[in-house]
Amino acid sequence: MAGESRAEAVWRGSLAEGAGSVRLASGAAPELNVSWKARVERDGTNMTSPEELIAAAHAACFSMALSNGLTQQGHPPRELDVTATATFAKGDGGFAISRIRLQVVGDVPGIDAAAFQQAAQGAKDGCPVSKALKGNVPIELEAKLKG
């Protein structure tokens, strides 16, 4: 049941002055505009960055993994509100993603905070996007129950 996912990118011009776009082969989202300025300045334009796309992928993957883990433990969630933040910074080796922070607030009937925390940690460690990033970037987790 494994599959492939594909996206395509086009870039025009120099890094600093140019711009490009990313298109998901599935057509699930409109074409997304990308630029260097969006990566380093977050200037409020309607442009995204590779880091924002990684954050989106991580938030989606983590939420699915956590939902599955909670359901397997007999606590299917009503809602999981996940935010993933990828920090893009210049270090000694140049620009890189220096950390990813996952934050989740769960509405999960019948579970206590400790069990929720354990399930969230398992999802963080086990989701395929976390596995792809493991060893390359620190992944932080903040998990709490709603209410």
Side-chain angles (χ1 to χ4, degrees), residues 38-62:
R39 289 179 96 170
V40 295
E41 293 180 21
R42 301 308 306 164
D43 61 356
T45 61
N46 193 23
M47 301 229 174
T48 190
S49 67
E51 294 74 30
E52 187 175 37
L53 296 172
I54 288 171
H58 207 175
C61 185
F62 172 78

Side-chain angles (χ1 to χ4, degrees), residues 93-135:
F95 282 98
I97 297 174
S98 59
R99 75 176 181 149
I100 294 183
R101 184 169 188 215
L102 294 170
Q103 297 169 283
V104 59
V105 176
D107 182 358
V108 186
I111 197 167
D112 64 31
F116 182 69
Q117 191 72 241
Q118 185 176 13
Q121 185 65 45
K124 179 191 86 105
D125 295 340
C127 94
V129 173
S130 288
K131 288 180 180 180
L133 297 169
K134 187 177 182 177

Side-chain angles (χ1 to χ4, degrees):
M1 191 162 122
E4 294 181 341
S5 296
R6 195 179 87 232
E8 300 166 356
V10 174
W11 187 266
R12 292 178 184 87
S14 69
L15 176 62
E17 302 300 321
S21 62
V22 175
R23 187 171 7 130
L24 307 180
S26 67
E31 187 171 273
L32 303 167
N33 296 315
V34 295
S35 72
W36 176 252
K37 194 172 183 180
R39 289 179 96 170
V40 295
E41 293 180 21
R42 301 308 306 164
D43 61 356
T45 61
N46 193 23
M47 301 229 174
T48 190
S49 67
E51 294 74 30
E52 187 175 37
L53 296 172
I54 288 171
H58 207 175
C61 185
F62 172 78
S63 67
M64 287 186 235
L66 181 52
S67 175
N68 184 52
L70 290 166
T71 300
Q72 288 180 348
Q73 293 174 17
H75 299 287
R78 281 191 197 118
E79 182 175 277
L80 299 171
D81 185 7
V82 177
T83 301
T85 305
T87 301
F88 183 65
K90 188 172 186 178
D92 294 338
F95 282 98
I97 297 174
S98 59
R99 75 176 181 149
I100 294 183
R101 184 169 188 215
L102 294 170
Q103 297 169 283
V104 59
V105 176
D107 182 358
V108 186
I111 197 167
D112 64 31
F116 182 69
Q117 191 72 241
Q118 185 176 13
Q121 185 65 45
K124 179 191 86 105
D125 295 340
C127 94
V129 173
S130 288
K131 288 180 180 180
L133 297 169
K134 187 177 182 177
N136 296 306
V137 60
I139 302 170
E140 301 170 1
L141 174 65
E142 179 185 323
K144 60 184 177 180
L145 289 169
K146 194 173 195 173

